Amino acid sequence: MAEARDVVRIPDAKVALSTASVYPESTATAFEIAARLGYDGVEVMVWTDPVSQDIEALRRLSDYHRIPVLAVHAPCLLITQRVWSTDPWTKLQRARAAAEKLGASAVVVHPPFRWQRQYARDFVDGVWRMANETDVRFAVENMYPWRYRDREMLAYAPDWDVTKEDYRHFTIDLSHASTSRTDTLRMVERMGDRLGHVHLADGRGSAKDEHLVPGRGDQPCAEVLEGLARGGFDGHVVIEVNTRRAMSSAEREADLAEALAFTRLHLASASSPSSLSSPSSPSSPSSLSSLRAPGR
């Protein structure tokens, strides 16, 4: 019989597939793949695919594939400036309504672009107001400076580093951390118990947002997952990877299966003290052990 210290402990965190991970295939395909591979749910990226914007269509896909919508990513990208209105607050209101109707517990939102001046000025207070009106978490996502050759443009306001502002909930995106050349483990520590959502992807520090399959870059994907597991994190871990270069649907699905296997492996943390790194190391996974998604 295994001793208590050797028991593998699986946290309550659910592993979801972002519908963006199957691009250029459709939102509907993402539900199908998530169900076939054994994901716990999906995060819907609301973008130019009409199905991603249609709550009833999403509900039918969820019911048909028996795969829940766990989160809604508001249309914050450059290519979605006209999706669900041109007014950014309307976009967030519609994202909240979609999450509530679909049973999702989180809305992911980016900080404003700097040229959205009024929106940026009101953003921190406005997100708090919206969060106070619902049980849905508004989890603000870390971004990165835009770089071209030796030039750097600060495209987001109040800041791409969301830990500099007072938000109730954060999303950590490891690919964005790589692009910003941030110490990911320290950013996770700064988020602390306000970390409610994770976008898992890898990177190699390129100026381009890479979103590699976890384990194919130099980000501490395993360490973050193991630290979350030890801290009893019960938010969602969302696989958000770029599979556009896949030569076939089968290759894309293999990448997504690999990402899921990696995530489940490192979320299953052994509780044996001998398996933990020294707590004196600032980048040790054990330094993340206090993390737990905030209660709703």
Side-chain angles (χ1 to χ4, degrees):
M1 179 179 296
E3 295 185 25
R5 68 174 183 273
D6 297 322
V7 173
V8 173
R9 178 163 47 90
I10 308 297
D12 293 332
K14 293 183 177 180
V15 183
L17 178 65
S18 169
T19 59
S21 295
V22 307
Y23 183 82
E25 296 194 62
S26 67
T27 299
T29 299
F31 277 85
E32 179 183 345
I33 291 175
R36 185 159 56 242
L37 294 181
Y39 279 83
D40 297 318
V42 299
E43 175 179 298
V44 174
M45 171 70 79
V46 180
W47 57 359
T48 54
D49 181 347
V51 171
S52 74
Q53 305 169 30
D54 187 330
I55 295 173
E56 289 308 313
L58 294 169
R59 195 198 310 276
R60 288 193 295 271
L61 284 169
S62 178
D63 291 344
Y64 179 79
H65 292 289
R66 298 182 180 180
I67 196 84
V69 176
L70 299 179
V72 173
H73 195 309
C76 306
L77 308 177
L78 284 173
I79 64 170
T80 60
Q81 291 298 288
R82 296 186 178 276
V83 172
W84 279 359
S85 168
T86 57
D87 176 62
W89 291 115
T90 299
K91 291 174 183 284
L92 295 193
Q93 290 163 358
R94 293 189 64 170
R96 179 188 66 191
E100 290 171 343
K101 290 177 182 177
L102 293 167
S105 62
V107 166
V108 179
V109 57
H110 293 178
F113 294 113
R114 296 191 76 84
W115 55 85
Q116 296 174 303
R117 293 181 181 178
Q118 185 61 50
Y119 179 46
R121 277 196 293 270
D122 297 339
F123 184 69
V124 178
D125 290 341
V127 169
W128 268 100
R129 285 195 299 271
M130 295 190 73
N132 287 334
E133 296 169 354
T134 180
D135 290 333
V136 174
R137 299 172 181 169
F138 277 86
V140 185
E141 183 174 3
N142 62 302
M143 298 305 291
Y144 47 85
W146 292 0
R147 295 189 180 93
Y148 179 71
R149 295 182 180 174
D150 59 345
R151 296 183 179 181
E152 184 175 286
M153 173 184 175
L154 300 179
Y156 299 97
D159 204 285
W160 61 263
D161 182 352
V162 294
T163 65
K164 293 182 178 179
E165 302 297 331
D166 179 26
Y167 299 112
R168 178 177 292 178
H169 298 121
F170 293 112
T171 296
I172 180 73
D173 185 304
L174 276 70
S175 179
H176 294 177
S178 175
T179 303
S180 66
R181 298 164 190 170
T182 296
D183 184 322
T184 302
L185 293 175
R186 291 200 181 280
M187 176 171 275
V188 171
E189 289 174 351
R190 290 197 301 275
M191 290 180 174
D193 62 4
R194 291 183 290 171
L195 175 58
H197 202 70
V198 176
H199 279 172
L200 190 68
D202 219 327
R204 301 191 187 98
S206 168
K208 295 181 179 180
D209 186 18
E210 296 170 286
H211 283 274
L212 303 177
V213 171
R216 297 185 185 177
D218 57 17
Q219 282 295 291
C221 298
E223 291 93 330
V224 168
L225 291 171
E226 291 162 7
L228 293 174
R230 278 192 289 274
F233 180 76
D234 62 355
H236 304 322
V237 177
V238 179
I239 303 300
E240 190 182 76
V241 296
N242 184 345
T243 63
R244 275 174 277 186
R245 293 186 178 181
M247 300 300 291
S248 65
S249 296
E251 184 178 333
R252 174 172 294 109
E253 192 163 328
D255 284 346
L256 299 177
E258 179 183 331
L260 177 61
F262 180 100
T263 304
R264 291 211 188 283
L265 172 66
H266 292 288
L267 279 175
S269 65
S271 60
S272 170
S274 62
S275 71
L276 302 182
S277 301
S278 169
S280 63
S281 170
S283 60
S284 163
S286 62
S287 66
L288 306 180
S289 61
S290 64
L291 290 177
R292 179 182 297 273
R296 298 192 294 277

